[in-house]
Amino acid sequence: MPAFSASVPGKIILFGEHAVVYGEPAIAVPVTSLHTRAIVTANIKGESGEIHVEAPDISLSAALFDLQDNHPIRAAILAAIGPDKDPASVPACNILITSSIPPSSGLGSGAAVSAAIIRALSAFLGKRLSDEIVSDLTYNVEKIHHGTPSGIDNTVVAYQQPIYYQKGDPFQFLDIPEPFTILIADCGIPGNTKDAVERVRQNSINDPDKYEMIFQSIGQITQEARELILAGLPAELGPLMDKNHQFLQDLDISLPELDHLVNTARNEGALGAKISGGGLGGNIIALVNGDTNEICEALSKAGAVNTLVTSINT
Ligand code: PMV
């Protein structure tokens, strides 16, 4: 029996994280140089229902039902099997998960793992799922990662295209007539989206007027960014990234280490820079043009444990 494999990219949020949880728009794009892959192979000697998972990157080697009930990998496998099928009737198989997307860094690794498992296992079971269904099933698993996901991560990794996303509205693919370059730098402290989302939620309960104003301002920035991207003027996005970062600081989800990388990128000639993703660690992104070696070097000296340059296009 052949192997069934699926590869899913990472993602960055260009504008609008956190505010998107409160109904404001956000822009996210896939990062195609980072991938999670799931490979499902039949275990011809095994009994029906024997599903074994290997994820060497996180030192996981376990049978499906040895994983805790709320383990996202278990949830993704059960989502691919579907509620109408008894997992005990699934042909014995091994699922191998490998990933170049660093976990807990705002690059969508959780959503990518789920989407890759859902795609590969459903294909193994003879089902062809639409991108929409992959996105919906991934969203349900995302709820385990952090209770109230906006839905942006699962959408961008399932459709693998730049999107303009607003909760409750159909999302829009975002055309990028003029490609641009983004530098991603990891501050070395694992991000914690769940804690960051919870912190913002608590703060917004304590000071609703201030937080509503911040969310709306971020939403306004995202709309302006969309216009600039559509108009083929990405070089003008820099000041909007700087403003967005300021509002993320106001939401209290930045760290001195992240601010230091943002400032370093700007001082070294980036056109703008901000946190990307949930914050409290993870990555910053910077809009760059020309030679990026010097900025990457300066960011490494400023504490970045990893830098990656990626082209953003449709
Ligand atoms: O940290 P990430 O890459 O999972 O991004 C989280 C983005 C938030 O807006 C903070 C949460 C969400 O569900 O949209």
Side-chain angles (χ1 to χ4, degrees), residues 160-183:
Q160 311 197 7
Q161 288 200 51
I163 56 163
Y164 180 82
Y165 181 89
Q166 192 158 15
K167 214 160 91 175
D169 282 355
F171 74 91
Q172 296 165 27
F173 290 120
L174 185 62
D175 189 32
I176 302 193
E178 186 69 30
F180 53 99
T181 306
I182 290 285
L183 195 164

PDB file of all heavy atoms in Angstrom, residues 160-183:
ATOM      1  N   GLN A 160      -3.305  27.920   2.073  1.00  0.00           N
ATOM      2  CA  GLN A 160      -1.928  28.160   1.619  1.00  0.00           C
ATOM      3  C   GLN A 160      -1.813  29.373   0.699  1.00  0.00           C
ATOM      4  O   GLN A 160      -1.118  29.347  -0.312  1.00  0.00           O
ATOM      5  CB  GLN A 160      -1.366  26.912   0.924  1.00  0.00           C
ATOM      6  CG  GLN A 160      -1.586  25.658   1.751  1.00  0.00           C
ATOM      7  CD  GLN A 160      -0.715  24.486   1.341  1.00  0.00           C
ATOM      8  OE1 GLN A 160       0.164  24.612   0.519  1.00  0.00           O
ATOM      9  NE2 GLN A 160      -0.950  23.353   1.945  1.00  0.00           N
ATOM     10  N   GLN A 161      -2.558  30.420   1.037  1.00  0.00           N
ATOM     11  CA  GLN A 161      -2.486  31.655   0.253  1.00  0.00           C
ATOM     12  C   GLN A 161      -2.618  32.847   1.194  1.00  0.00           C
ATOM     13  O   GLN A 161      -3.200  32.724   2.274  1.00  0.00           O
ATOM     14  CB  GLN A 161      -3.645  31.709  -0.736  1.00  0.00           C
ATOM     15  CG  GLN A 161      -3.473  30.738  -1.874  1.00  0.00           C
ATOM     16  CD  GLN A 161      -4.326  31.137  -3.050  1.00  0.00           C
ATOM     17  OE1 GLN A 161      -4.286  32.283  -3.484  1.00  0.00           O
ATOM     18  NE2 GLN A 161      -5.113  30.202  -3.526  1.00  0.00           N
ATOM     19  N   PRO A 162      -2.103  34.030   0.777  1.00  0.00           N
ATOM     20  CA  PRO A 162      -2.295  35.226   1.607  1.00  0.00           C
ATOM     21  C   PRO A 162      -3.787  35.503   1.785  1.00  0.00           C
ATOM     22  O   PRO A 162      -4.554  35.394   0.824  1.00  0.00           O
ATOM     23  CB  PRO A 162      -1.635  36.339   0.775  1.00  0.00           C
ATOM     24  CG  PRO A 162      -0.688  35.639  -0.142  1.00  0.00           C
ATOM     25  CD  PRO A 162      -1.320  34.309  -0.435  1.00  0.00           C
ATOM     26  N   ILE A 163      -4.171  35.859   3.002  1.00  0.00           N
ATOM     27  CA  ILE A 163      -5.601  36.116   3.231  1.00  0.00           C
ATOM     28  C   ILE A 163      -5.812  37.392   4.056  1.00  0.00           C
ATOM     29  O   ILE A 163      -4.973  37.792   4.866  1.00  0.00           O
ATOM     30  CB  ILE A 163      -6.309  34.941   3.961  1.00  0.00           C
ATOM     31  CG1 ILE A 163      -5.623  34.618   5.292  1.00  0.00           C
ATOM     32  CG2 ILE A 163      -6.387  33.712   3.095  1.00  0.00           C
ATOM     33  CD1 ILE A 163      -6.491  33.792   6.213  1.00  0.00           C
ATOM     34  N   TYR A 164      -6.963  37.977   3.804  1.00  0.00           N
ATOM     35  CA  TYR A 164      -7.492  39.077   4.616  1.00  0.00           C
ATOM     36  C   TYR A 164      -8.645  38.449   5.373  1.00  0.00           C
ATOM     37  O   TYR A 164      -9.595  37.950   4.765  1.00  0.00           O
ATOM     38  CB  TYR A 164      -7.962  40.200   3.692  1.00  0.00           C
ATOM     39  CG  TYR A 164      -8.536  41.404   4.385  1.00  0.00           C
ATOM     40  CD1 TYR A 164      -7.713  42.400   4.906  1.00  0.00           C
ATOM     41  CD2 TYR A 164      -9.922  41.575   4.488  1.00  0.00           C
ATOM     42  CE1 TYR A 164      -8.251  43.519   5.520  1.00  0.00           C
ATOM     43  CE2 TYR A 164     -10.459  42.696   5.103  1.00  0.00           C
ATOM     44  CZ  TYR A 164      -9.615  43.659   5.614  1.00  0.00           C
ATOM     45  OH  TYR A 164     -10.155  44.776   6.217  1.00  0.00           O
ATOM     46  N   TYR A 165      -8.558  38.458   6.695  1.00  0.00           N
ATOM     47  CA  TYR A 165      -9.464  37.631   7.482  1.00  0.00           C
ATOM     48  C   TYR A 165     -10.193  38.457   8.536  1.00  0.00           C
ATOM     49  O   TYR A 165      -9.564  39.212   9.285  1.00  0.00           O
ATOM     50  CB  TYR A 165      -8.640  36.534   8.184  1.00  0.00           C
ATOM     51  CG  TYR A 165      -9.485  35.609   9.013  1.00  0.00           C
ATOM     52  CD1 TYR A 165     -10.049  34.473   8.458  1.00  0.00           C
ATOM     53  CD2 TYR A 165      -9.733  35.886  10.355  1.00  0.00           C
ATOM     54  CE1 TYR A 165     -10.847  33.619   9.217  1.00  0.00           C
ATOM     55  CE2 TYR A 165     -10.535  35.046  11.117  1.00  0.00           C
ATOM     56  CZ  TYR A 165     -11.081  33.914  10.539  1.00  0.00           C
ATOM     57  OH  TYR A 165     -11.870  33.085  11.298  1.00  0.00           O
ATOM     58  N   GLN A 166     -11.486  38.298   8.580  1.00  0.00           N
ATOM     59  CA  GLN A 166     -12.274  38.949   9.638  1.00  0.00           C
ATOM     60  C   GLN A 166     -13.300  37.935  10.125  1.00  0.00           C
ATOM     61  O   GLN A 166     -14.085  37.409   9.314  1.00  0.00           O
ATOM     62  CB  GLN A 166     -12.965  40.202   9.082  1.00  0.00           C
ATOM     63  CG  GLN A 166     -13.542  41.081  10.158  1.00  0.00           C
ATOM     64  CD  GLN A 166     -13.725  42.524   9.697  1.00  0.00           C
ATOM     65  OE1 GLN A 166     -13.681  42.803   8.496  1.00  0.00           O
ATOM     66  NE2 GLN A 166     -13.943  43.427  10.623  1.00  0.00           N
ATOM     67  N   LYS A 167     -13.240  37.663  11.435  1.00  0.00           N
ATOM     68  CA  LYS A 167     -14.116  36.643  12.014  1.00  0.00           C
ATOM     69  C   LYS A 167     -15.573  36.937  11.658  1.00  0.00           C
ATOM     70  O   LYS A 167     -16.009  38.091  11.740  1.00  0.00           O
ATOM     71  CB  LYS A 167     -13.952  36.693  13.541  1.00  0.00           C
ATOM     72  CG  LYS A 167     -14.059  35.383  14.213  1.00  0.00           C
ATOM     73  CD  LYS A 167     -13.416  35.435  15.573  1.00  0.00           C
ATOM     74  CE  LYS A 167     -14.367  35.808  16.684  1.00  0.00           C
ATOM     75  NZ  LYS A 167     -13.745  35.736  18.004  1.00  0.00           N
ATOM     76  N   GLY A 168     -16.305  35.917  11.263  1.00  0.00           N
ATOM     77  CA  GLY A 168     -17.724  36.110  10.979  1.00  0.00           C
ATOM     78  C   GLY A 168     -18.002  36.454   9.524  1.00  0.00           C
ATOM     79  O   GLY A 168     -19.130  36.307   9.068  1.00  0.00           O
ATOM     80  N   ASP A 169     -16.977  36.941   8.779  1.00  0.00           N
ATOM     81  CA  ASP A 169     -17.159  37.245   7.351  1.00  0.00           C
ATOM     82  C   ASP A 169     -16.434  36.170   6.551  1.00  0.00           C
ATOM     83  O   ASP A 169     -15.447  35.623   7.026  1.00  0.00           O
ATOM     84  CB  ASP A 169     -16.506  38.593   6.989  1.00  0.00           C
ATOM     85  CG  ASP A 169     -17.381  39.753   7.430  1.00  0.00           C
ATOM     86  OD1 ASP A 169     -18.493  39.496   7.913  1.00  0.00           O
ATOM     87  OD2 ASP A 169     -16.916  40.899   7.308  1.00  0.00           O
ATOM     88  N   PRO A 170     -16.874  35.935   5.300  1.00  0.00           N
ATOM     89  CA  PRO A 170     -16.055  35.026   4.482  1.00  0.00           C
ATOM     90  C   PRO A 170     -14.676  35.656   4.302  1.00  0.00           C
ATOM     91  O   PRO A 170     -14.585  36.865   4.065  1.00  0.00           O
ATOM     92  CB  PRO A 170     -16.801  34.984   3.137  1.00  0.00           C
ATOM     93  CG  PRO A 170     -18.134  35.618   3.373  1.00  0.00           C
ATOM     94  CD  PRO A 170     -18.032  36.484   4.591  1.00  0.00           C
ATOM     95  N   PHE A 171     -13.617  34.867   4.429  1.00  0.00           N
ATOM     96  CA  PHE A 171     -12.283  35.466   4.284  1.00  0.00           C
ATOM     97  C   PHE A 171     -12.041  35.793   2.805  1.00  0.00           C
ATOM     98  O   PHE A 171     -12.731  35.275   1.921  1.00  0.00           O
ATOM     99  CB  PHE A 171     -11.207  34.511   4.813  1.00  0.00           C
ATOM    100  CG  PHE A 171     -10.949  33.347   3.918  1.00  0.00           C
ATOM    101  CD1 PHE A 171      -9.988  33.414   2.935  1.00  0.00           C
ATOM    102  CD2 PHE A 171     -11.698  32.184   4.028  1.00  0.00           C
ATOM    103  CE1 PHE A 171      -9.761  32.360   2.075  1.00  0.00           C
ATOM    104  CE2 PHE A 171     -11.486  31.117   3.175  1.00  0.00           C
ATOM    105  CZ  PHE A 171     -10.521  31.207   2.199  1.00  0.00           C
ATOM    106  N   GLN A 172     -11.069  36.660   2.542  1.00  0.00           N
ATOM    107  CA  GLN A 172     -10.738  37.010   1.144  1.00  0.00           C
ATOM    108  C   GLN A 172      -9.294  36.618   0.863  1.00  0.00           C
ATOM    109  O   GLN A 172      -8.411  36.890   1.680  1.00  0.00           O
ATOM    110  CB  GLN A 172     -10.865  38.521   0.943  1.00  0.00           C
ATOM    111  CG  GLN A 172     -12.280  39.039   1.128  1.00  0.00           C
ATOM    112  CD  GLN A 172     -12.298  40.561   1.276  1.00  0.00           C
ATOM    113  OE1 GLN A 172     -11.417  41.260   0.767  1.00  0.00           O
ATOM    114  NE2 GLN A 172     -13.291  41.062   1.988  1.00  0.00           N
ATOM    115  N   PHE A 173      -9.061  36.010  -0.322  1.00  0.00           N
ATOM    116  CA  PHE A 173      -7.671  35.842  -0.756  1.00  0.00           C
ATOM    117  C   PHE A 173      -7.135  37.228  -1.051  1.00  0.00           C
ATOM    118  O   PHE A 173      -7.849  38.073  -1.594  1.00  0.00           O
ATOM    119  CB  PHE A 173      -7.587  34.979  -2.013  1.00  0.00           C
ATOM    120  CG  PHE A 173      -7.936  33.541  -1.760  1.00  0.00           C
ATOM    121  CD1 PHE A 173      -8.995  32.940  -2.424  1.00  0.00           C
ATOM    122  CD2 PHE A 173      -7.211  32.779  -0.853  1.00  0.00           C
ATOM    123  CE1 PHE A 173      -9.323  31.617  -2.175  1.00  0.00           C
ATOM    124  CE2 PHE A 173      -7.531  31.455  -0.602  1.00  0.00           C
ATOM    125  CZ  PHE A 173      -8.591  30.866  -1.268  1.00  0.00           C
ATOM    126  N   LEU A 174      -5.877  37.459  -0.692  1.00  0.00           N
ATOM    127  CA  LEU A 174      -5.297  38.788  -0.884  1.00  0.00           C
ATOM    128  C   LEU A 174      -4.303  38.736  -2.044  1.00  0.00           C
ATOM    129  O   LEU A 174      -3.277  38.045  -1.960  1.00  0.00           O
ATOM    130  CB  LEU A 174      -4.599  39.227   0.405  1.00  0.00           C
ATOM    131  CG  LEU A 174      -4.045  40.639   0.423  1.00  0.00           C
ATOM    132  CD1 LEU A 174      -5.162  41.676   0.257  1.00  0.00           C
ATOM    133  CD2 LEU A 174      -3.306  40.898   1.737  1.00  0.00           C
ATOM    134  N   ASP A 175      -4.640  39.457  -3.108  1.00  0.00           N
ATOM    135  CA  ASP A 175      -3.742  39.505  -4.255  1.00  0.00           C
ATOM    136  C   ASP A 175      -2.527  40.368  -3.883  1.00  0.00           C
ATOM    137  O   ASP A 175      -2.690  41.413  -3.248  1.00  0.00           O
ATOM    138  CB  ASP A 175      -4.508  40.104  -5.441  1.00  0.00           C
ATOM    139  CG  ASP A 175      -3.703  39.974  -6.709  1.00  0.00           C
ATOM    140  OD1 ASP A 175      -2.950  38.998  -6.827  1.00  0.00           O
ATOM    141  OD2 ASP A 175      -3.825  40.864  -7.572  1.00  0.00           O
ATOM    142  N   ILE A 176      -1.342  39.926  -4.275  1.00  0.00           N
ATOM    143  CA  ILE A 176      -0.128  40.706  -3.967  1.00  0.00           C
ATOM    144  C   ILE A 176       0.567  41.033  -5.290  1.00  0.00           C
ATOM    145  O   ILE A 176       1.420  40.269  -5.755  1.00  0.00           O
ATOM    146  CB  ILE A 176       0.790  39.931  -2.989  1.00  0.00           C
ATOM    147  CG1 ILE A 176      -0.012  39.627  -1.732  1.00  0.00           C
ATOM    148  CG2 ILE A 176       2.064  40.719  -2.697  1.00  0.00           C
ATOM    149  CD1 ILE A 176       0.739  39.147  -0.544  1.00  0.00           C
ATOM    150  N   PRO A 177       0.170  42.156  -5.932  1.00  0.00           N
ATOM    151  CA  PRO A 177       0.717  42.437  -7.260  1.00  0.00           C
ATOM    152  C   PRO A 177       2.209  42.738  -7.236  1.00  0.00           C
ATOM    153  O   PRO A 177       2.898  42.502  -8.220  1.00  0.00           O
ATOM    154  CB  PRO A 177      -0.092  43.660  -7.738  1.00  0.00           C
ATOM    155  CG  PRO A 177      -0.706  44.245  -6.523  1.00  0.00           C
ATOM    156  CD  PRO A 177      -0.825  43.157  -5.509  1.00  0.00           C
ATOM    157  N   GLU A 178       2.700  43.260  -6.099  1.00  0.00           N
ATOM    158  CA  GLU A 178       4.124  43.612  -6.002  1.00  0.00           C
ATOM    159  C   GLU A 178       4.719  42.815  -4.830  1.00  0.00           C
ATOM    160  O   GLU A 178       4.454  43.141  -3.663  1.00  0.00           O
ATOM    161  CB  GLU A 178       4.211  45.126  -5.747  1.00  0.00           C
ATOM    162  CG  GLU A 178       5.589  45.714  -5.763  1.00  0.00           C
ATOM    163  CD  GLU A 178       6.236  45.722  -7.145  1.00  0.00           C
ATOM    164  OE1 GLU A 178       5.521  45.810  -8.169  1.00  0.00           O
ATOM    165  OE2 GLU A 178       7.470  45.611  -7.176  1.00  0.00           O
ATOM    166  N   PRO A 179       5.497  41.767  -5.137  1.00  0.00           N
ATOM    167  CA  PRO A 179       6.054  40.965  -4.036  1.00  0.00           C
ATOM    168  C   PRO A 179       6.956  41.808  -3.128  1.00  0.00           C
ATOM    169  O   PRO A 179       7.513  42.819  -3.567  1.00  0.00           O
ATOM    170  CB  PRO A 179       6.895  39.895  -4.747  1.00  0.00           C
ATOM    171  CG  PRO A 179       6.382  39.851  -6.138  1.00  0.00           C
ATOM    172  CD  PRO A 179       5.887  41.234  -6.450  1.00  0.00           C
ATOM    173  N   PHE A 180       7.084  41.407  -1.885  1.00  0.00           N
ATOM    174  CA  PHE A 180       7.974  42.111  -0.964  1.00  0.00           C
ATOM    175  C   PHE A 180       8.666  41.104  -0.043  1.00  0.00           C
ATOM    176  O   PHE A 180       8.317  39.920  -0.030  1.00  0.00           O
ATOM    177  CB  PHE A 180       7.238  43.201  -0.174  1.00  0.00           C
ATOM    178  CG  PHE A 180       6.004  42.756   0.560  1.00  0.00           C
ATOM    179  CD1 PHE A 180       6.031  42.477   1.915  1.00  0.00           C
ATOM    180  CD2 PHE A 180       4.782  42.644  -0.106  1.00  0.00           C
ATOM    181  CE1 PHE A 180       4.882  42.093   2.603  1.00  0.00           C
ATOM    182  CE2 PHE A 180       3.631  42.247   0.563  1.00  0.00           C
ATOM    183  CZ  PHE A 180       3.683  41.978   1.910  1.00  0.00           C
ATOM    184  N   THR A 181       9.669  41.601   0.679  1.00  0.00           N
ATOM    185  CA  THR A 181      10.513  40.684   1.455  1.00  0.00           C
ATOM    186  C   THR A 181      10.341  40.950   2.950  1.00  0.00           C
ATOM    187  O   THR A 181      10.393  42.102   3.392  1.00  0.00           O
ATOM    188  CB  THR A 181      11.994  40.877   1.063  1.00  0.00           C
ATOM    189  OG1 THR A 181      12.087  40.738  -0.350  1.00  0.00           O
ATOM    190  CG2 THR A 181      12.879  39.835   1.723  1.00  0.00           C
ATOM    191  N   ILE A 182      10.131  39.882   3.674  1.00  0.00           N
ATOM    192  CA  ILE A 182       9.980  39.968   5.133  1.00  0.00           C
ATOM    193  C   ILE A 182      11.079  39.137   5.787  1.00  0.00           C
ATOM    194  O   ILE A 182      11.368  38.013   5.369  1.00  0.00           O
ATOM    195  CB  ILE A 182       8.591  39.437   5.564  1.00  0.00           C
ATOM    196  CG1 ILE A 182       7.471  40.385   5.122  1.00  0.00           C
ATOM    197  CG2 ILE A 182       8.524  39.169   7.067  1.00  0.00           C
ATOM    198  CD1 ILE A 182       7.322  41.666   5.925  1.00  0.00           C
ATOM    199  N   LEU A 183      11.677  39.723   6.798  1.00  0.00           N
ATOM    200  CA  LEU A 183      12.679  39.015   7.592  1.00  0.00           C
ATOM    201  C   LEU A 183      12.004  38.587   8.899  1.00  0.00           C
ATOM    202  O   LEU A 183      11.324  39.386   9.546  1.00  0.00           O
ATOM    203  CB  LEU A 183      13.826  39.985   7.867  1.00  0.00           C
ATOM    204  CG  LEU A 183      15.155  39.445   8.360  1.00  0.00           C
ATOM    205  CD1 LEU A 183      16.208  40.521   8.178  1.00  0.00           C
ATOM    206  CD2 LEU A 183      15.115  39.016   9.787  1.00  0.00           C
TER     207      LEU A 183
END
